[in-house]
Amino acid sequence: MSAPVKPRERFGAGDGFNRKLIAPLVSGAILNPINSTIVSVALVSIGVAFGAPPSQTAWLISALYLATAVGQPVVGRLIDIYGPRRLFLPATALVGVAGVIGALAPNLAVLIVARVILGFGTCAGYPAAMRLIRDEGRRTGKDSPAGVLTILAIATQTIAVIGPPLGGLLIGLGGWQATLAINIPIAIVAFVLGRLRFPRDERAPGKLNLDFPGMALFATTLVALLLFLMNPHAGSWYLLVITALAAAGFTVHELRHPRPFIDLRVLGGNIPLLLTYGRALLAYIVSYSFIYGFTQWLEDGRGLSASTTGLVTLPMFATGIVVSAITGRRQGLRGKLVVAAVAQLVACVLLLTLVPTSPLWTIVGIVLIFGIPQGLNSLALQNAVYRQANPDDVGTSAGLLRTFGYLGAIVSSAAQGGFYGQRADTGGLHHLAWFLVIASVVFLLVNVLDRTLARSTHPERHPEMTEQLDPARTALLVMDYQAGIVSRVADDQALLDRVGTAISDVRAHGGHVGWVRVGFDDAEFDAIPSTSVFARMVAPESRAVMHADAPATQIDERLSPQPQDVSVRKIRVGAFTTTDLDTQLRERDVDTLVLAGISTSGVVLSTVREAMDRDYRILVLDDASADPEPGTHEFLTGTIFPKFATVLDVDALAKLWA
């Protein structure tokens, strides 16, 4: 029997993205969109079969998105911890099970249950894809794989194209049951591809280290909120109370938990990512209202058949594919989102002009216009999360993006149920259109006013860093990795693992390692003036902790300084100030510094500026540095540091040695 293949070897040789991963990535990512679009033309048929009005069949939409809204970030978190393969395979199998239950459903209630199971089953596809893309980006050194992200976006657009006409065809051949049964072969294909081509996950920790109370409180908050949005009236006031109490409990718990399900401190500091989630909510309110509400009107209000409705909506998705293909490799986000917002607003205004006798060319024209935001929004939002999210939490962040998208879908479903009533008539469409116009205006304003979209928030590589490093003249400075500071980092073990990898890499190539820590002796405490940023550290109540001999000021015990290493103790922010670091480095003939430190806005920033003035060549390890404010970290590593230094990650450093 052959020896097991290591995870990295399974990715394939060479520096490019492993093409064998594309098929399973796409097969998993499309599971949700195909079930979103294919049911859009089946709602009327299902309503007729079970004698249910649109307000009841809307639960088929809400059930799937309720399950996925709760499940996506949970599964995304599990993927970040245990790996994509371990979650992808059982989730895809669950999709097949849901297809069987749905095809045999004897009533609307069972069909809704099948859609819930389907929602949970589709939770792993997108976070697994984003996790693998991020891992491949690290392996290849290409941190912005625009081509692969574009393929993913085009694939979901393509399946959206196929969905409505395929749904109409399946209904004609086998009734609405066929729109559920189609999940069986699709799930089998995705499962087989994932089993054969996904790299095996590294061994997971023996003990489940998960924040189960945090997950439960998150789910309670979201379920209560979404149930209220599905049926908002005075009698549902208790759901808002449950939402508020659960949200408060979730916030308190997450802020206190050492390894929270969703690190609210990190998320709260990442304003660009929060804005991206907000615009996703607005974009999907409009998108799903158009996909579901407009298609129902085409059948009920305009009198088209299900198959004709599918063909009429085809140009919208086809336009989306073309737009995605043309703009996919462009790095800019703001231009895409502003153009998408304008087109979206125009299409929603035109919905107000429709009447039962409107000619098909008018309807097709509106569909074509709406194809522009279909192609731009999903691509731009996907790229925004990839750039803005913490690399180690990309699965969770991708799941949250989908959660906000599904929240938009739920709001859309509630709006349709409220505006349409018993049937999707023209009056209901016009009321829905006014609601969408308001949402589109807000979406446009958010994109126009958000200045963070004008630049990439992901660190760019320094264009001049083409030559290899001479290990004998290179030193890695590990700064403020001391017990009292490392313990404050949200995911300290992951950060220590990365800096440990960098240390091992430098030692293996014969480079130098330097250790920088902050601590004070008795005389130095009194020498710090009250105007210093360190004034609080040297206050009488803090002196026991910040003393040079205190455990909190020693290098974290999980790291291993060696006797031959450079070592300094400082009493100011920068590594050079108040130390003989420069002298020790010059004695070793070092002219190149690789910096890793806590925090990015403290010791790393100060040392970059000081090292620049001392004429060192500087490299900053963005994934081996951390800051209490992730947005600040991203701004410094993406905008400020590249002016003076090369910004790269630990994996990329390994490729630079001579």
Side-chain angles (χ1 to χ4, degrees):
M1 186 172 70
S2 61
V5 180
K6 295 180 180 180
R8 288 197 180 278
E9 294 172 347
R10 287 285 303 273
F11 279 115
D15 292 332
F17 190 94
N18 182 12
R19 295 181 180 275
K20 290 184 178 180
L21 288 175
I22 293 176
L25 288 180
V26 169
S27 68
I30 66 173
L31 289 173
N32 193 272
I34 193 171
N35 281 288
S36 299
T37 57
I38 204 170
V39 77
S40 65
V41 296
L43 291 175
V44 173
S45 299
I46 292 172
V48 171
F50 294 125
S55 58
Q56 292 182 18
T57 57
W59 275 93
L60 294 172
I61 306 169
S62 303
L64 183 130
Y65 290 120
L66 180 61
T68 45
V70 173
Q72 283 269 3
V74 174
V75 175
R77 180 62 175 163
L78 293 172
I79 286 171
D80 284 333
I81 297 174
Y82 298 108
R85 192 176 194 269
R86 193 174 276 114
L87 275 298
F88 181 86
L89 296 180
T92 350
L94 197 61
V95 172
V97 172
V100 174
I101 296 174
L104 301 176
N107 53 52
L108 185 62
V110 174
L111 189 56
I112 291 172
V113 170
R115 293 279 290 179
V116 170
I117 297 173
L118 190 61
F120 285 120
T122 61
C123 281
Y126 184 66
M130 293 292 279
R131 178 76 263 169
L132 279 171
I133 290 173
R134 170 62 71 185
D135 291 344
E136 273 290 86
R138 283 179 170 175
R139 183 186 70 83
T140 61
K142 298 178 180 179
D143 283 337
S144 184
V148 181
L149 291 172
T150 301
I151 290 173
L152 201 62
I154 291 177
T156 55
Q157 290 288 342
T158 302
I159 205 65
V161 172
I162 296 172
L166 177 61
L169 177 63
L170 290 173
I171 291 171
L173 294 175
W176 60 263
Q177 292 89 342
T179 62
L180 275 298
I182 191 65
N183 284 290
I184 301 171
I186 294 175
I188 291 173
V189 170
F191 183 91
V192 171
L193 286 172
R195 184 174 179 81
L196 293 177
R197 297 187 178 182
F198 272 17
R200 291 191 178 277
D201 302 316
E202 296 179 0
R203 184 181 297 275
K207 182 181 179 180
L208 285 177
N209 189 19
L210 295 176
D211 178 17
F212 289 110
M215 292 179 178
L217 287 167
F218 174 81
T220 302
T221 302
L222 207 55
V223 169
L225 175 62
L226 297 181
L227 286 175
F228 176 80
L229 291 175
M230 290 176 198
N231 189 22
H233 57 77
S236 301
W237 63 268
Y238 66 93
L239 291 173
L240 290 179
V241 175
I242 295 174
T243 300
L245 292 175
F250 174 72
T251 301
V252 172
H253 175 81
E254 295 300 276
L255 291 175
R256 293 178 176 177
H257 199 279
R259 281 175 172 52
F261 163 51
I262 297 175
D263 195 330
L264 297 181
R265 289 174 296 240
V266 172
L267 185 62
N270 195 338
I271 301 302
L273 185 60
L274 290 176
L275 287 173
T276 291
Y277 290 151
R279 63 174 56 91
L281 170 66
L282 293 167
Y284 284 106
I285 286 175
V286 179
S287 177
Y288 282 105
S289 293
F290 197 89
I291 292 173
Y292 291 117
F294 182 59
T295 53
Q296 287 189 78
W297 176 82
L298 287 176
E299 294 185 51
D300 271 358
R302 184 61 175 73
L304 302 181
S305 65
S307 57
T308 303
T309 297
L311 292 174
V312 168
T313 57
L314 189 62
M316 173 175 64
F317 301 107
T319 302
I321 292 175
V322 173
V323 170
S324 294
I326 293 174
T327 64
R329 291 186 177 272
R330 298 178 182 271
Q331 295 296 323
L333 296 177
R334 191 178 191 181
K336 292 177 185 176
L337 289 167
V338 169
V339 171
V342 171
Q344 189 171 275
L345 179 59
V346 170
C348 292
V349 170
L350 290 176
L351 288 179
L352 296 168
T353 67
L354 293 178
V355 294
T357 57
S358 293
L360 280 179
W361 66 265
T362 302
I363 295 172
V364 172
I366 296 174
V367 167
L368 285 170
I369 294 172
F370 202 82
I372 297 173
Q374 282 293 109
L376 292 175
N377 278 336
S378 61
L379 184 62
L381 293 170
Q382 176 178 277
N383 276 273
V385 168
Y386 184 86
R387 297 182 192 181
Q388 295 164 347
N390 181 342
D392 291 321
D393 297 327
V394 70
T396 309
S397 299
L400 281 172
L401 176 68
R402 287 294 179 94
T403 294
F404 277 88
Y406 301 142
L407 180 58
I410 295 294
V411 174
S412 165
S413 176
Q416 292 170 57
F419 292 130
Y420 278 156
Q422 294 298 311
R423 59 187 301 271
D425 57 17
T426 302
L429 175 67
H430 289 170
H431 286 105
L432 179 63
W434 277 115
F435 172 71
L436 300 183
V437 166
I438 295 171
S440 297
V441 169
V442 176
F443 182 63
L444 176 60
L445 291 175
V446 170
N447 293 323
V448 169
L449 298 177
D450 183 7
R451 295 182 179 275
T452 65
L453 291 173
R455 57 176 175 83
S456 170
T457 56
H458 190 73
E460 298 292 339
R461 300 298 175 243
H462 195 278
E464 299 176 0
M465 191 61 193
T466 57
E467 58 186 288
Q468 293 184 304
L469 300 177
D470 179 358
R473 306 194 68 183
T474 301
L476 167 64
L477 297 185
V478 184
M479 304 179 294
D480 291 4
Y481 267 82
Q482 55 200 68
I485 295 178
V486 172
S487 61
R488 302 174 191 172
V489 177
D491 195 355
D492 59 327
Q493 188 57 57
L495 187 65
L496 285 165
D497 289 343
R498 289 192 294 273
V499 80
T501 299
I503 293 168
S504 299
D505 182 47
V506 171
R507 293 197 194 281
H509 288 89
H512 306 277
V513 176
W515 303 88
V516 180
R517 67 186 182 98
V518 59
F520 306 84
D521 62 24
D522 294 331
E524 289 165 344
F525 278 123
D526 295 329
I528 300 297
S530 60
T531 55
S532 171
V533 295
F534 280 175
R536 287 189 302 173
M537 292 187 185
V538 300
E541 64 272 14
S542 303
R543 293 192 176 190
V545 175
M546 293 306 301
H547 196 279
D549 297 328
T553 64
Q554 309 307 306
I555 299 299
D556 192 284
E557 62 182 7
R558 289 168 285 184
L559 299 174
S560 53
Q562 301 297 316
Q564 73 274 15
D565 293 342
V566 175
S567 180
V568 297
R569 178 177 61 85
K570 61 189 176 74
I571 57 174
R572 291 294 188 274
V573 178
F576 288 97
T577 307
T578 71
T579 74
D580 65 344
L581 178 61
D582 187 59
T583 301
Q584 293 192 51
L585 294 173
R586 299 300 182 190
E587 288 174 351
R588 290 165 172 78
D589 201 24
V590 169
D591 65 2
T592 300
L593 300 180
V594 182
L595 306 182
I598 311 170
S599 66
T600 315
S601 59
V603 67
V604 179
L605 175 60
S606 293
T607 305
V608 165
R609 299 306 297 263
E610 290 178 317
M612 177 192 67
D613 286 340
R614 296 171 188 265
D615 301 321
Y616 286 96
R617 179 168 56 172
I618 310 164
L619 295 84
V620 177
L621 296 178
D622 66 304
D623 61 344
S625 300
D627 195 272
E629 299 291 340
T632 300
H633 174 87
E634 296 290 348
F635 176 70
L636 289 171
T637 56
T639 302
I640 301 301
F641 290 166
K643 298 177 182 179
F644 317 108
T646 298
V647 180
L648 73 169
D649 57 27
V650 171
D651 289 340
L653 175 65
K655 302 174 184 179
L656 295 180
W657 300 108

